[in-house]
């Protein structure tokens, strides 16, 4: 069946009016039992999707963290195709290849379908299938005594991709543990902290107005490959460039997919982004191109003081640091400023995942403030994000909240409590020196490590890569460790350390893993519980809107869970009921649909219409431009007081001052949700945190204002040292998609990429084998002072023109030893681990024969696991992992001779 554009528009219109809410959009899941996979893969492939027989059900994609609205086509109780939902204002009906990955992991032959208990030593790969009652009773019997003894903190919950919108927190809060841990430091905390510092904790993500922009200044952002909200940006970026002539300038260490579609690409020295941004800021100020009126109205830093601070950061200085010509830096700065306000910056891991990355992103953010594009059409916009945290909308707009009751667990780690007194003396002294408001957010060394206070000052970003080292150091005694969709045993830096801790029963006596597939993390559990996939479950959905009009969506089941898999919400509900002691009152529901119907009770459309559409948005709501200029309602002003010095409006609540706005030109407006209600380009939080944790005042991360210094380990690199970076392919989701066959066929290996001049220097060519040795980082991130090797790996070379000559790059999604036959490059999972998978040998053998890239068939294989050699390297204060700072040495193992030894 082929559709014309007219057909598509008719379908979109029908969706928006609910005209297809009958048989085509029947949203209730099938009642047919899916206890086993009745057909072989070959038989499934022979059955083509027949649109006349299929149901179209809207849901939310979970192929990655972007979460696009999609429509799944269901036929014969199988999801056969996933397409974009045109009602989603972010993705606008588009999808990427990862969307159909949901089908791959739902029908994957080696998917976990039944609860399993290990037999023999942990990690030995031997399992026994057990019932849900057996599994839940055993887990509850382990957890209940912790709560009854008043030591709930000895239960540690560690999640990877938790998109249950607070449901897991409902469980951990009800249990009473503060140790609800994530992996955010591995991903995004270094770039979230500058945003929240500048604009307030409500704005952990920006929403550039790419539909109307004329100029995009991109520092290490890569929406064409991997980016939070990347798909939302791709179409808008290309439309802006092709249809409206917008310029896209990218600074990156390698020719990424985003660099390839940019107007300009500059290969920069690693971690030099901050130098470039500050030099551009100086050019803008020196040449009178700054929007001084905007700066003086909304920035909290004196303009002349800022000008003086920029004096050392000349374009010549930035050229020496980055390799980008000074004339180009100045030209681009002028072009950017003259495009204002229809211009915006973009940054991501390329700029932020460095020792100096937090300050680099602060310098990049300062460019937007200087040219006055914040909140303006085509500029650097800040959507009001989640609808139930909408403090910036107009009066009368609906606010959606979770259904009551909401659990509010006591905070057991405040100074003076039993738990606090068990901490080491130096930790107690450090915490007692924190401001009172910081102390109130402190919950112990796992959830809120005192050495990294800015990892929890604005938002619960955690420091996930330190969880296992801290457990190994016994900073927290653990009795029960529950991992949920977490891949630390494979994907964390120094992942071997995570495996050592997870294997040691003296450190972690009991490990429960909840997941869809049998990965490296689940392989080290004592009990594995099978999770429902995103095509089989309910979830509320919200994210920042690149359409600048908040919206909400619903993930709903298209099919029943395979085998005995259950949605995580049901697993936690049933566990809470078994543990008892009052936990059960927070889980007083039997049906998940009823739970989410109550969640959306205030939505101004009925539940069935919402399910039929999948997305709701108030089309009449004004776009989220200049939220900071919106007036505070008169009723709030009447209850508020005004600070005569700062002109901020505030109310007293629970004995504390809460700012609600600021007076500008005699008008009470919202401003930004920062303490000053201004953009805090100068933030004294950084030097305060440095002083409290013992970080030298001279360290770049201790600066109150955006500044620049080289990454310590990049200073005086020797001729044989290179910077090892990593990245994500656009068809994969970290290491979680290696078993999706359609994705693995596109990218199944991860060679070491290097520039031609680098290959020539090393005497290697594409296909040759090299050995990389990585070393411990310098600086405050590593206090040992030793420059010891971290690890070694061998891999093949791929020569890539356009890379920076001091950089080598290797994607980190490959080389799995678990996750099944596809991820293992044709090698089946050991038989004993398949007891909970219901996969017959003939089907797996057939699948293995299709792995044409396996080494047994003469292919390149499934790549190399590289994360063991990346050192644990948290950025000072914030704790984000510095993935891109790694110094390595390279030696040729096979291939060309070293050119220095040739005759």
């Amino acid at each position: 069946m082929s559709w014309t554009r007219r057909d598509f528009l008719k379908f979109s219109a029908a969706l928006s009016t609910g005209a297809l809410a009958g048989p085509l959009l029947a949203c209730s899941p099938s009642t047919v039992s899916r206890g086993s996979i009745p057909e072989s893969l070959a038989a499934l492939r022979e059955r083509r999707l027949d649109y006349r027989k299929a149901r179209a059900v809207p849901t939310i994609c979970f192929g990655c963290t972007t979460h696009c609205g999609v429509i799944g086509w269901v036929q014969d109780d199988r999801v056969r195709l996933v397409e974009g939902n045109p009602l989603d204002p972010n993705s606008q009906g588009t999808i990427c290849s990862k969307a159909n990955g949901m089908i791959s992991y739902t029908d994957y032959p080696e998917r976990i379908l039944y609860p399993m208990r290990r037999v023999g030593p942990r990690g030995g790969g031997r399992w026994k299938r057990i019932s849900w009652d057996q599994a839940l009773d055993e887990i509850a019997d382990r957890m209940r005594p912790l709560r009854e003894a008043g030591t709930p903190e000895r239960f540690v919950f560690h999640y990877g991709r938790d998109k249950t919108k607070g449901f897991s927190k409902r469980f951990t809060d009800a249990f009473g543990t503060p140790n609800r841990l994530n992996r955010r430091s591995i991903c995004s905390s270094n770039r979230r902290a500058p945003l929240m510092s500048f604009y307030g904790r409500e704005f952990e993500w920006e929403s550039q107005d790419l539909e109307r922009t004329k100029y995009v200044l991109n520092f290490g952002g890569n929406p064409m490959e991997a980016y939070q909200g990347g798909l939302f940006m791709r179409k808008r970026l290309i439309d802006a460039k092709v249809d409206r002539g917008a310029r896209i300038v990218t600074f990156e260490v390698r020719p990424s997919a985003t660099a390839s579609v940019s107007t300009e690409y500059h290969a920069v020295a690693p971690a030099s982004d901050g130098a470039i941004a500050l030099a551009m800021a100086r050019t803008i100020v020196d040449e009178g191109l700054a929007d001084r009126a905007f700066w003086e109205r909304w920035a909290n830093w004196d303009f002349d003081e800022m000008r003086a601070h920029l004096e050392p950061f000349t374009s010549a200085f930035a050229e020496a640091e980055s390799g980008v010509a000074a004339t180009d830096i100045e030209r681009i700065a002028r072009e950017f400023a003259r495009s204002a306000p229809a211009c915006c910056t973009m940054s991501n891991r390329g700029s932020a995942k460095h020792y100096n990355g937090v300050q680099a992103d602060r310098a990049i953010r300062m460019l937007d403030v200087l040219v006055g594009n914040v909140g303006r059409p085509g500029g650097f916009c800040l959507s009001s994000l989640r609808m139930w945290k909408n403090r910036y909308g107009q009066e009368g707009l609906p606010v959606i909240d979770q259904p009551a009751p909401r659990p509010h667990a006591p905070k057991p780690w405040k100074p003076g409590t039993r738990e606090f007194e068990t901490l080491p003396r130096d930790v107690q002294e450090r915490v007692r020196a924190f401001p009172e408001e910081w102390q109130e957010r402190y919950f112990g060394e796992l959830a809120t490590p005192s050495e990294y206070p800015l990892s929890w000052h604005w938002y619960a970003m955690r420091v996930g890569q330190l969880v296992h080292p801290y457990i190994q150091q016994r900073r927290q005694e653990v009795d029960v460790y529950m991992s949920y969709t977490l891949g630390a045993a494979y994907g964390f830096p120094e992942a071997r350390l995570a495996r050592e801790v997870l294997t040691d029963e003296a450190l972690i006596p009991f490990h429960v893993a909840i997941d869809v597939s049998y990965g490296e993390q689940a392989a080290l559990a004592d009990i594995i519980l099978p999770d429902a996939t995103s095509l089989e479950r309910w979830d509320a959905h919200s994210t920042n809107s690149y359409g600048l009009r908040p919206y909400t969506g619903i993930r709903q089941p298209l099919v029943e869970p395979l085998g005995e898999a259950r949605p995580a919400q049901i697993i936690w509900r049933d566990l809470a009921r078994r543990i008892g002691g009052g936990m059960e009152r927070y889980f007083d529901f039997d049906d998940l649909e009823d739970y989410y119907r109550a969640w959306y009770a205030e939505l101004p459309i009925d539940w069935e219409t919402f399910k039929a559409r999948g997305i709701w948005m108030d089309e009449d709501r004004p776009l989220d431009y200049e939220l900071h200029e919106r007036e505070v309602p008169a009723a709030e002003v009447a209850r508020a007081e005004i600070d005569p010095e700062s002109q901020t409006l505030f109310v007293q609540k629970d004995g504390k001052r809460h700012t609600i706005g600021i007076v500008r030109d005699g008008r009470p407006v919202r401003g930004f949700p920062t303490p000053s209600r201004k953009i805090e380009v100068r933030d004294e939080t950084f030097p305060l945190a440095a002083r409290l944790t013992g970080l030298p005042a001279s360290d770049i991360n201790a600066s109150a204002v955006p500044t620049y210094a080289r990454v310590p380990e990049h200073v005086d690199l020797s001729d044989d040292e290179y910077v090892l970076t990593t990245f994500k392919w656009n068809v994969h989701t970290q290491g979680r998609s290696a078993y999706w066959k359609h994705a693995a066929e596109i990218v199944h290996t991860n060679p070491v990429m290097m520039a031609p001049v680098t290959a020539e220097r090393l005497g290697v060519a594409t296909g040759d084998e090299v050995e990389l040795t990585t070393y411990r980082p310098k600086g405050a991130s590593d206090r040992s002072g030793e420059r010891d090797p971290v690890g070694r790996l061998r891999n093949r070379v791929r020569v890539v023109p356009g890379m920076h000559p001091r950089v080598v790059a290797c994607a980190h999604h490959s080389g799995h030893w678990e996750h099944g036959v596809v991820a293992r490059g044709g090698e089946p999972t050991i038989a004993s681990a398949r007891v909970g998978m219901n996969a017959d040998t003939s089907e797996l053998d057939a699948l293995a024969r299709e792995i044409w890239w396996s080494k047994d068939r003469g292919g390149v294989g499934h790549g190399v696991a590289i994360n063991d050699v990346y050192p644990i390297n948290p950025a000072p204060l914030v704790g984000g992992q510095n993935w891109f700072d790694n110094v390595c040495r390279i030696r040729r193992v096979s291939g060309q001779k070293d050119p220095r030894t040739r005759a």
Side-chain angles (χ1 to χ4, degrees):
M1 178 180 180
S2 61
W3 278 25
T4 65
R5 176 172 174 79
R6 178 173 297 178
D7 293 329
F8 178 79
L9 292 174
K10 285 181 178 179
F11 177 68
S12 302
L15 271 178
S16 64
T17 60
L20 297 183
L24 181 61
L25 287 180
C27 295
S28 59
S30 169
T31 56
V32 178
S33 172
R34 303 181 78 227
S36 61
I37 302 176
E39 300 172 292
S40 68
L41 288 177
L44 281 173
R45 290 191 187 94
E46 290 300 317
R47 303 189 63 177
R48 303 297 181 186
L49 174 64
D50 186 340
Y51 284 94
R52 297 168 298 180
K53 299 177 181 178
R55 295 181 296 118
V57 186
T59 190
I60 304 297
C61 182
F62 203 178
C64 74
T65 58
T66 296
H67 298 284
C68 303
V70 295
I71 298 170
W73 290 90
V74 184
Q75 180 181 332
D76 299 326
D77 204 26
R78 291 289 182 274
V79 181
R80 302 306 181 93
L81 178 67
V82 174
E83 298 178 318
N85 185 343
L87 298 181
D88 186 329
N90 265 340
S91 59
Q92 300 175 316
T94 62
I95 60 168
C96 73
S97 66
K98 292 191 283 288
N100 282 286
M102 292 189 293
I103 302 176
S104 295
Y105 67 62
T106 298
D107 289 335
Y108 186 58
E110 291 181 279
R111 175 186 163 188
I112 302 169
L113 296 178
Y114 306 97
M116 295 191 291
R117 181 196 293 127
R118 73 172 167 95
V119 178
R122 188 181 292 173
R126 298 181 60 216
W127 299 90
K128 177 183 178 181
R129 178 175 160 182
I130 59 176
S131 70
W132 272 105
D133 284 339
Q134 288 174 297
L136 294 174
D137 284 345
E138 183 170 346
I139 298 167
D141 288 345
R142 292 271 192 162
M143 294 180 65
R144 189 183 305 106
L146 304 181
R147 197 163 181 267
E148 292 174 348
T151 57
E153 71 278 0
R154 295 173 74 110
F155 167 56
V156 172
F157 179 80
H158 202 177
Y159 64 91
R161 289 294 182 221
D162 176 12
K163 293 300 176 180
T164 60
K165 292 298 179 192
F167 201 100
S168 67
K169 189 173 188 299
R170 176 179 289 261
F171 179 76
T172 55
D173 282 355
F175 188 81
T177 181
N179 291 317
R180 180 177 179 271
L181 313 170
N182 60 31
R183 56 176 295 281
R184 193 161 287 133
S185 60
I186 302 298
C187 180
S188 59
S189 53
N190 277 12
R191 70 178 302 263
R192 292 191 192 209
L195 274 165
M196 291 185 285
S197 168
F198 265 45
Y199 297 110
R201 62 171 295 172
E202 297 295 325
F203 298 121
E204 55 178 310
W205 292 110
E206 74 277 21
S207 309
Q208 297 94 335
D209 189 16
L210 299 175
E211 292 185 19
R212 300 164 186 85
T213 198
K214 297 177 182 177
Y215 208 101
V216 178
L217 197 52
N218 174 29
F219 294 88
N222 197 3
M224 298 294 168
E225 287 182 10
Y227 198 110
Q228 189 101 13
L231 186 66
F232 308 158
M233 305 172 81
R234 289 173 198 171
K235 182 177 182 297
R236 290 174 167 88
L237 274 171
I238 296 302
D239 286 350
K241 180 183 176 184
V242 174
D243 296 343
R244 295 183 293 283
R247 294 183 65 80
I248 306 170
V249 179
T250 291
F251 300 99
E252 182 60 275
V253 298
R254 64 182 182 87
S256 65
T258 303
S260 71
V261 301
S262 298
T263 315
E264 293 182 42
Y265 157 56
H266 297 270
V268 298
S272 64
D273 307 80
I276 299 170
L278 290 167
M280 288 184 172
R282 175 174 169 169
T283 297
I284 291 169
V285 171
D286 285 353
E287 299 189 9
L289 299 173
D291 186 341
R292 186 160 182 168
F294 181 85
W295 181 278
E296 292 181 341
R297 180 178 176 84
W298 287 115
N300 74 333
W301 188 15
D302 180 79
F303 188 88
D304 291 327
E305 287 182 11
M306 177 269 298
R307 184 202 299 270
H309 172 74
L310 294 176
E311 282 297 319
F313 301 110
T314 64
S315 56
F317 169 81
E319 178 178 357
E321 293 295 301
S322 68
V324 181
T327 53
D328 284 332
I329 292 173
E330 293 171 2
R331 171 184 56 81
I332 294 167
R334 295 185 193 105
E335 292 173 353
F336 178 75
R338 288 168 180 161
S339 299
C343 62
C344 58
T345 61
M346 180 191 305
S347 67
N348 209 288
R349 296 180 179 89
S351 62
K353 302 305 282 184
H354 297 283
Y355 186 94
N356 63 6
V358 172
Q359 292 290 9
D361 264 35
R362 293 182 75 206
I364 295 164
R365 297 287 81 85
M366 191 171 80
L367 290 171
D368 296 295
V369 187
L370 269 175
V371 300
N373 67 25
V374 178
R376 305 284 297 281
F380 188 86
C381 291
L382 300 162
S383 174
S384 52
L385 303 181
R386 298 163 181 81
M387 299 186 66
W388 47 78
K389 289 187 178 179
N390 173 21
R391 302 179 187 178
Y392 296 91
Q394 294 181 330
E395 291 185 87
L397 291 176
V399 177
I400 301 164
D401 210 341
Q402 292 185 3
R406 298 181 64 185
H408 296 282
K411 299 175 181 179
W413 288 97
K414 293 176 66 175
T417 61
R418 172 192 59 78
E419 296 87 353
F420 184 82
E421 298 300 327
T422 65
L423 294 172
R425 183 64 55 189
D426 63 320
V427 173
Q428 292 186 41
E429 291 175 356
R430 185 184 302 133
V431 174
R432 286 194 175 101
F434 288 163
E436 183 179 350
E437 62 178 304
W438 293 23
Q439 293 185 36
E440 291 179 356
R441 302 186 188 120
Y442 179 76
F443 299 145
E445 288 297 278
L446 280 188
T448 51
S450 57
E451 287 184 285
Y452 300 92
L454 301 190
S455 71
W456 44 270
H457 169 69
W458 291 289
Y459 185 78
M461 294 186 286
R462 316 302 191 197
V463 187
Q465 73 272 45
L466 292 177
V467 168
H468 301 103
Y470 280 6
I471 291 175
Q472 189 177 58
Q473 297 163 18
R474 295 191 181 274
R475 296 198 190 192
Q476 172 64 60
E477 295 294 331
V478 179
D479 285 297
V480 178
Y481 175 91
M482 180 180 289
S483 58
Y484 173 56
T485 63
L486 181 69
Y490 164 84
F492 273 27
E494 296 187 60
R496 66 179 181 276
L497 192 152
R499 296 195 297 275
E500 289 172 8
V501 172
L502 290 169
T503 305
D504 190 339
E505 294 184 49
L507 294 172
I508 297 181
F510 191 62
H511 174 199
V512 180
I514 305 174
D515 216 325
V516 171
S517 68
Y518 183 79
E520 289 80 9
Q521 183 86 8
L524 298 177
D526 299 301
I527 287 182
I528 302 175
L529 302 179
D531 188 23
T533 72
S534 54
L535 296 178
E536 303 167 338
R537 61 186 261 192
W538 294 93
D539 284 315
H541 166 71
S542 66
T543 190
N544 55 310
S545 173
Y546 282 82
L548 301 179
R549 184 177 281 129
Y551 74 102
T552 190
I554 188 72
R555 179 177 290 122
Q556 57 185 318
L558 280 66
V559 291
E560 293 284 347
L562 274 175
E564 294 180 8
R566 294 182 180 180
Q569 299 99 316
I570 297 298
I571 296 174
W572 294 320
R573 179 201 69 183
D574 292 349
L575 258 179
R577 290 176 176 180
R578 279 172 163 80
I579 294 169
M583 278 192 75
E584 66 279 3
R585 70 175 179 269
Y586 299 108
F587 300 88
D588 187 20
F589 66 91
D590 293 319
D591 182 76
L592 268 182
E593 182 173 358
D594 290 341
Y595 179 87
Y596 287 102
R597 183 187 287 110
W599 184 309
Y600 284 103
E602 295 184 36
L603 205 65
I605 59 172
D606 67 86
W607 176 245
E608 293 302 320
T609 302
F610 182 40
K611 288 197 303 178
R613 294 165 58 94
I615 298 288
W616 180 82
M617 179 178 68
D618 183 356
E619 297 284 355
D620 297 325
R621 179 193 173 100
L623 298 183
D624 278 346
Y625 289 128
E626 297 187 287
L627 298 173
H628 50 281
E629 294 283 3
R630 296 192 180 180
E631 291 197 13
V632 180
E636 291 187 44
V637 174
R639 294 192 299 268
E641 300 176 61
I642 185 168
D643 185 305
E645 182 176 349
S646 67
Q647 291 292 290
T648 54
L649 296 169
F650 66 92
V651 294
Q652 295 286 348
K653 184 179 180 181
D654 300 326
K656 297 177 183 178
R657 176 183 289 194
H658 299 268
T659 59
I660 64 170
I662 187 170
V663 177
R664 301 281 84 181
D665 297 330
R667 294 172 55 240
V669 296
R670 283 297 188 190
F672 298 88
T674 62
S676 67
R677 286 282 150 172
K678 294 183 177 181
I679 303 171
E680 302 207 342
V681 186
R682 182 182 188 96
D683 192 342
E684 296 298 332
T685 302
F686 290 93
L688 173 61
R691 185 168 67 253
L692 293 172
T693 56
L695 186 71
S698 59
D699 191 282
I700 181 177
N701 296 283
S703 177
V705 296
T707 190
Y708 171 80
R710 287 185 186 175
V711 171
E713 54 263 43
H714 295 179
V715 176
D716 299 325
L717 286 178
S718 62
D719 290 342
D720 65 341
E721 291 181 318
Y722 298 87
V723 177
L724 172 63
T725 188
T726 187
F727 65 95
K728 305 176 184 180
W729 286 102
N730 56 7
V731 297
H732 279 292
T733 304
Q734 294 90 23
R736 298 192 60 80
S737 58
Y739 63 101
W740 304 354
K741 185 169 180 290
H742 78 279
E745 286 189 303
I746 300 169
V747 179
H748 40 260
T749 189
N750 56 338
V752 177
M753 298 180 175
M754 61 180 64
V757 65
T758 307
E760 183 178 2
R761 185 185 307 126
L762 293 167
V764 297
T766 294
D768 294 344
E769 188 176 20
V770 293
E771 181 182 81
L772 277 67
T773 303
T774 58
Y775 297 88
R776 288 263 163 234
K778 298 177 184 178
S781 297
D782 187 87
R783 309 290 174 89
S784 68
E786 301 294 332
R787 187 70 162 167
D788 297 330
V790 176
R792 294 179 173 87
L793 65 85
R794 290 189 175 189
N795 205 349
R796 298 288 177 179
V797 168
R798 180 180 174 186
V799 178
V800 179
M803 288 193 61
H804 192 279
R806 295 306 294 267
V807 172
V808 292
C810 196
H812 70 271
H813 67 281
S814 297
H816 286 268
W817 56 96
E818 300 293 358
H819 272 305
V821 63
V822 174
R824 292 159 65 108
E827 181 185 349
T829 301
I830 54 179
S832 61
R834 293 206 304 268
V835 298
M837 299 177 187
N838 199 33
D840 62 63
T841 304
S842 61
E843 189 171 19
L844 291 176
D845 288 344
L847 183 58
R849 287 192 296 271
E850 295 181 3
I851 312 301
W852 48 264
W853 58 91
S854 71
K855 289 187 176 181
D856 290 343
R857 303 190 65 185
V860 297
H862 64 300
V864 176
I866 67 172
N867 295 310
D868 281 0
V869 309
Y870 286 93
I872 293 173
N873 187 7
L877 306 182
V878 171
Q881 173 66 16
N882 301 326
W883 279 113
F884 299 161
D885 284 350
N886 313 284
V887 172
C888 70
R889 286 187 169 92
I890 307 171
R891 72 175 184 91
R892 178 180 56 83
V893 176
S894 67
Q896 294 185 18
K897 292 182 178 180
D898 190 322
R900 292 169 292 186
T901 64
R902 292 176 185 167

